[in-house]
Amino acid sequence: MQITTVLGRFGFWTRKIAILTCLLLLVSCQAKNQPADHQMLVKVARVVSGQSLEVLGMGEQPNFASPVRLIGIDAPDLRQNPWGDEARQSLEKLIGGIEQSIKLEFDIENKDKLGRTLAYVWKDNKLLNEQIVKQGYALFVGRSPNHKYDQRLERAQQWARIMGEGIWNPENPMRQTPAEFRFLNR
């Protein structure tokens, strides 16, 4: 009788260990689907537009300016007056000027077809992608496969729209989306 109890306990613990091993294996496999470095601290070299900037401190050449495109937003083209320049100035103000440190957070795909780094940009614990949309200087545009903050960005756009901020100002609304403008003005 005692041998049966010992074997029963042995089988119980064997099953528990097997389940734990399987869970650990699954968790370790999932981590490999994400980039190794989810975040990176860099310095701003220049703000190019309301949706892109150049940063220092990426890769093997820390003094080389690397282009970064903010994930999930589409800001007006610089030629799309007055909104393009306002969007760029708004992003500059959020960052606080050149040489400022910002944190880049990466999602599943971290390069676009133009070779720019795709990132969520953080400054003082604020998601700048979200702030620029909330201020009404960019549209939320979800792009697969990067969807980590889509709900936040969509809510920010709804708020800007309701409040009539920036491009949503009823007295001077933007008539073409940035994508439409770029398509028509190539």
Side-chain angles (χ1 to χ4, degrees), residues 85-170:
D85 196 47
E86 288 176 358
R88 184 185 56 75
Q89 289 175 15
S90 177
L91 185 57
E92 276 181 343
K93 187 175 178 182
L94 287 167
I95 289 170
I98 61 170
E99 296 287 320
Q100 292 294 313
S101 292
I102 58 171
K103 183 169 49 172
L104 303 180
E105 180 180 356
F106 308 108
D107 207 337
I108 294 170
E109 189 174 87
N110 51 1
K111 291 280 185 185
D112 68 5
K113 62 185 175 191
L114 300 175
R116 296 175 295 189
T117 298
L118 298 171
Y120 299 104
V121 178
W122 294 88
K123 172 79 175 168
D124 300 328
N125 295 320
K126 289 185 181 177
L127 178 57
L128 301 190
N129 308 50
E130 177 183 33
Q131 294 301 311
I132 195 108
V133 171
K134 190 173 186 178
Q135 292 177 0
Y137 292 113
L139 295 172
F140 158 65
V141 179
R143 291 194 173 93
S144 195
N146 298 332
H147 295 292
K148 186 171 187 175
Y149 295 110
D150 279 6
Q151 286 185 339
R152 285 179 71 163
L153 295 171
E154 189 170 16
R155 274 186 259 135
Q157 179 168 290
Q158 290 169 352
W159 191 90
R161 198 176 212 168
I162 290 168
M163 299 305 290
E165 299 287 340
I167 61 177
W168 305 107
N169 181 340

Side-chain angles (χ1 to χ4, degrees), residues 7-28:
L7 289 176
R9 285 185 184 160
F10 180 74
F12 172 79
W13 286 108
T14 303
R15 283 191 300 267
K16 293 285 186 190
I17 291 171
I19 290 170
L20 181 61
T21 303
C22 288
L23 287 173
L24 289 173
L25 182 62
L26 285 172
V27 169
S28 68

